[in-house]
């Protein structure tokens, strides 16, 4: 089913990656605009976090956040490529929608692209993976750990995690929605939770 809202979303996401300044990002942007999504893209049942996702998206002025809000009924929330490696606690605080990847709605054998929503005031523990990764926060904010760098991040900020860099997120009072991009070795099996002293912090 053709969806102008989904096309607008893909164009907005491609624009973000064209501005990133990495070859892999430019290739991802090109794939978003030239690889046809299957006709299976269409209205889906709302995920458990639907109202929270809509609420935080409504606070953002970013074009991609507005486009995502307009296409929210078609987003495949729940298609998490690392679900098999997550703990139940980590899985319970977030929703993931893979839009591009080996098994994504937009097929790509060597790239992954998707969306992450994290519940308000929740903590996603320290983890890493083989893939090189870029996050772009679309709405809301979080105290973001990327290696030794720990700081508040908000809508519009771009965070790059080289392969195997430990990273973690403590969501703000509205939670956050972020776009992620994987390149390099994108095997989901390499995802691993790490020893995390922040888990014990009050």
């Amino acid at each position: 089913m053709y969806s102008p809202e989904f096309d607008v979303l893909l164009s907005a996401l491609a624009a973000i990656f064209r501005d990133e300044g990495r070859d892999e990002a430019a290739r991802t942007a090109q794939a978003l605009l030239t690889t046809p999504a299957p006709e299976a893209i269409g209205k889906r049942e709302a995920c458990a976090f639907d109202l929270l996702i809509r609420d935080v998206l409504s606070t953002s002025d970013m074009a991609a956040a507005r486009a995502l809000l307009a296409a929210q009924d078609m987003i495949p929330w729940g298609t998490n490529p690392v679900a098999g490696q997550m703990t139940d606690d980590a899985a319970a605080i977030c929703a993931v929608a893979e839009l591009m990847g080996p098994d994504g709605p937009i097929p790509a054998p060597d790239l992954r692209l998707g969306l992450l929503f994290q519940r308000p005031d929740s903590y996603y523990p320290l983890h890493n993976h083989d893939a090189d990764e870029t996050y772009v926060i679309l709405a809301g904010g979080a105290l973001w750990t990327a290696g030794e760098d720990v700081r508040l991040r908000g809508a519009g900020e771009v965070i790059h995690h080289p392969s195997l860099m430990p990273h973690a997120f403590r969501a703000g009072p509205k939670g956050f929605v972020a776009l992620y991009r994987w390149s390099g070795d994108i095997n989901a099996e390499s995802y691993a939770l790490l020893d995390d002293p922040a888990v014990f912090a009050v």
Side-chain angles (χ1 to χ4, degrees):
M1 180 177 75
Y2 172 73
S3 165
E5 293 87 0
F6 199 76
D7 279 355
V8 169
L9 174 62
L10 295 184
S11 294
L13 300 184
I16 287 173
F17 290 125
R18 280 197 302 270
D19 292 341
E20 187 184 334
R22 291 183 174 84
D23 289 344
E24 301 86 352
R27 196 158 58 86
T28 302
Q30 182 68 13
L32 279 171
L33 297 177
T34 59
T35 307
E39 293 184 3
I41 289 294
K43 189 166 183 179
R44 298 169 181 267
E45 287 189 25
C47 78
F49 295 130
D50 182 67
L51 293 178
L52 290 172
I53 293 170
R54 291 176 187 275
D55 182 51
V56 69
L57 286 172
S58 71
T59 68
S60 177
D61 292 329
M62 290 187 68
R66 294 194 301 271
L68 177 55
L69 187 56
Q72 172 69 357
D73 288 343
M74 291 167 277
I75 303 303
W77 293 106
T79 56
N80 188 343
V82 300
Q85 287 79 254
M86 295 177 73
T87 64
D88 290 343
D89 288 346
I93 63 166
C94 64
V96 175
E98 186 170 59
L99 301 180
M100 175 188 287
D103 302 309
I106 301 171
D110 59 348
L111 297 167
R112 290 188 191 273
L113 174 149
L115 299 158
L116 167 70
F117 167 75
Q118 188 171 315
R119 254 181 17 202
D121 301 312
S122 63
Y123 182 67
Y124 193 118
L126 206 63
H127 61 285
N128 69 3
H129 39 70
D130 290 345
D132 187 90
E133 177 179 60
T134 295
Y135 267 102
V136 182
I137 299 181
L138 301 182
L143 182 65
W144 203 278
T145 299
E148 299 298 316
D149 182 12
V150 181
R151 63 178 125 155
L152 289 171
R153 304 282 194 162
E157 294 203 53
V158 179
I159 310 107
H160 181 65
H161 305 140
S163 174
L164 297 177
M165 173 182 276
H167 48 288
F169 334 116
R170 189 176 299 279
K174 279 193 169 287
F176 70 87
V177 173
L179 173 67
Y180 68 83
R181 178 187 64 75
W182 279 21
S183 59
D185 185 348
I186 65 165
N187 81 88
E189 291 75 22
S190 69
Y191 172 98
L193 291 170
L194 306 173
D195 289 339
D196 188 352
V199 169
F200 304 103
V202 176

